[in-house]
Amino acid sequence: MRATRVVEGLAASTPFIGPERLMRERGMRELVRLGANESAFGPSPRAVAAMTAELERLAWYGDPDSYDLREALAGRVTCQLEQVLVASGIDELMGLCVRAFLEIGGVAVATRGTYPTFAYHVTGYGGRLETAAYTSEGSPDLDALAATARRERASIVYLANPDNPSGTFLDAQRVVRFYEALPPDALLLLDEAYADFADPAQLAPPCFDDRLVRVRTFSKAYGLAGARIGYALTTRTNAERLERVRLQYGVNRNAQIGALAALQDEAHLAWVLRETAAARAEYEALARELGTTTIPSCTNFVCIDMGSAAFATEVMAALLDRGVWIRKPGATPLDRYIRVSAGTADMRRTFAQAFRAVTAERRSIATP
Ligand SMILES: *Cc1c(COP(=O)(O)O)cnc(C)c1O
């Protein structure tokens, strides 16, 4: 008995090693979680109240149409409800897009070392991933991505904007120019997981075209990562295509309720954005104090330059020994950075103490 050719051909891979596993392996009871860009500021209390009040009805399936939430989202972005598709997070939506738009053996293009779930789906569905490196400043290289897409006749091009793990942001004009430079039959999968942290006036314009699927989430600014809920914005035609392979009851009922309440709590979101900006500023100041630099971030995390990949890895491990969990980019040229999520003032203090201690032996991080 064998699995499919595609699955037999896959190497076992773990796109994310969770902090729970790290704690189990080390016999630790708690960690300061600054590794997954979760919101340290939590979900809206209104979302928690709405979800708590509805918990008793968990015997019921959620609305397979996610109607109320889609209606609210369509009102926000000014589109039709039929152009909004809700799923259990961007991670699931990326899988649906790959399944719907990439043939087995087809080519997809992404930045080398960017958010890993897209690559995971591409190989998982039997596609081939081609990559272009980040620029030396740490942003996705739009010219190289477009050239790779044209050369490889790509079916899907993935761009995270704002980007993870770099935190960089490309303004509307640059994204539009990039979109226009792609082959006419390539789909742009625009991952806007961090769009809530960006200046709305600088986001790519609300464009509804069959060549574009944008995906967004309640996992980051809205603090609902554990609830698993996100949405796609696209044309009715594409939404209907994705509908054909969508899991009808894949969205948690409680998540639908929490997301709707969270969307209506604008004050909480504004507070999260202010706290996140304060955390970024503090990390930047800390990096300066220690003689190094950060990549300007438009997200809820900051990359700090450790001078070399080896030292970045060492620092990450030493922080873990001190109970602080962060991550680091895996591919050059960003692999010499560590990536730290925005924490509360307490978490930041713990991080800063541990970070100063583990880097204390080096006079300057940037010149090891
Ligand atoms: C966190 C993150 C996601 C995951 O979103 P979910 O809705 O939780 O699946 C997707 N893309 C990027 C770039 C992210 O950083």
Side-chain angles (χ1 to χ4, degrees):
M1 171 64 205
R2 288 174 67 82
T4 63
R5 229 178 315 160
V6 168
V7 169
E8 289 292 349
L10 289 176
S13 75
T14 310
F16 305 102
I17 293 172
E20 292 79 8
R21 187 200 287 187
L22 297 174
M23 286 192 288
R24 267 194 312 276
E25 288 172 354
R26 289 158 179 262
M28 297 169 98
R29 299 181 68 88
E30 59 179 350
L31 278 179
V32 179
R33 293 174 74 115
L34 295 172
N37 307 336
E38 297 153 329
S39 178
F41 312 106
S44 151
R46 284 212 238 161
V48 175
M51 293 167 93
T52 306
E54 284 289 328
L55 268 180
E56 290 187 19
R57 274 179 280 278
L58 268 186
W60 297 356
Y61 288 107
D63 171 9
D65 298 323
S66 293
Y67 191 92
D68 295 344
L69 180 59
R70 283 163 67 222
E71 187 177 50
L73 289 166
R76 283 298 165 98
V77 293
T78 335
C79 67
Q80 293 169 324
L81 178 140
E82 291 80 5
Q83 298 175 308
V84 186
L85 191 89
V86 171
S88 66
I90 290 178
D91 283 2
E92 187 195 6
L93 287 160
M94 291 199 283
L96 292 177
C97 286
V98 169
R99 197 166 160 205
F101 295 101
L102 188 70
E103 301 285 357
I104 290 182
V107 176
V109 170
T111 300
R112 192 177 316 135
T114 190
Y115 186 74
T117 312
F118 179 67
Y120 181 77
H121 285 305
V122 168
T123 51
Y125 283 111
R128 179 159 62 86
L129 186 77
E130 292 291 331
T131 60
Y134 280 99
T135 65
S136 53
E137 292 84 49
S139 45
D141 188 335
L142 298 184
D143 292 338
L145 282 172
T148 306
R150 287 192 300 269
R151 189 186 69 230
E152 300 289 337
R153 302 176 191 282
S155 304
I156 309 183
V157 179
Y158 170 83
L159 179 70
N161 191 46
D163 179 64
N164 181 9
S166 69
T168 52
F169 178 64
L170 300 160
D171 65 23
Q173 223 184 350
R174 296 176 72 179
V175 174
V176 169
R177 230 181 303 135
F178 170 62
Y179 182 59
E180 287 167 356
L182 294 178
D185 49 359
L187 178 87
L188 174 60
L189 177 54
L190 185 59
D191 183 341
E192 297 184 317
Y194 300 96
D196 301 298
F197 298 101
D199 173 1
Q202 293 297 318
L203 282 178
C207 153
F208 289 88
D209 183 296
D210 285 343
R211 292 173 51 224
L212 178 64
V213 176
R214 324 163 79 114
V215 285
R216 295 182 179 173
T217 183
F218 287 93
S219 295
K220 304 285 158 62
Y222 288 100
L224 288 167
R228 308 303 305 128
I229 190 157
Y231 58 99
L233 301 171
T234 187
T235 57
R236 291 173 75 122
T237 304
N238 280 348
E240 196 265 323
R241 288 164 163 160
L242 296 168
E243 278 287 339
R244 294 179 210 167
V245 288
R246 178 176 73 91
L247 199 55
Q248 292 296 304
Y249 286 109
V251 181
N252 184 318
R253 180 175 189 275
N254 216 240
Q256 294 171 323
I257 289 157
L260 184 57
L263 203 59
Q264 288 156 353
D265 191 349
E266 288 176 23
H268 180 77
L269 179 65
W271 175 73
V272 169
L273 299 184
R274 281 197 304 277
E275 291 295 315
T276 303
R280 282 196 309 254
E282 212 172 291
Y283 291 154
E284 282 156 20
L286 178 64
R288 262 197 311 277
E289 171 200 314
L290 296 174
T292 188
T293 56
T294 58
I295 302 175
S297 167
C298 189
T299 62
N300 65 347
F301 58 86
V302 173
C303 279
I304 305 177
D305 194 347
M306 293 291 107
S308 73
F311 189 46
T313 304
E314 207 181 294
V315 167
M316 181 172 71
L319 287 171
L320 187 59
D321 287 340
R322 289 167 183 261
V324 178
W325 177 60
I326 60 154
R327 281 204 176 113
K328 69 174 290 300
T332 54
L334 296 183
D335 56 349
R336 65 173 202 267
Y337 291 85
I338 57 167
R339 192 197 69 185
V340 190
S341 308
T344 60
D346 266 358
M347 294 163 84
R348 270 141 44 196
R349 209 169 303 122
T350 308
F351 165 72
Q353 260 168 13
F355 189 49
R356 284 193 189 97
V358 304
T359 54
E361 302 91 81
R362 309 223 177 189
R363 250 183 323 121
S364 165
I365 296 167
T367 54

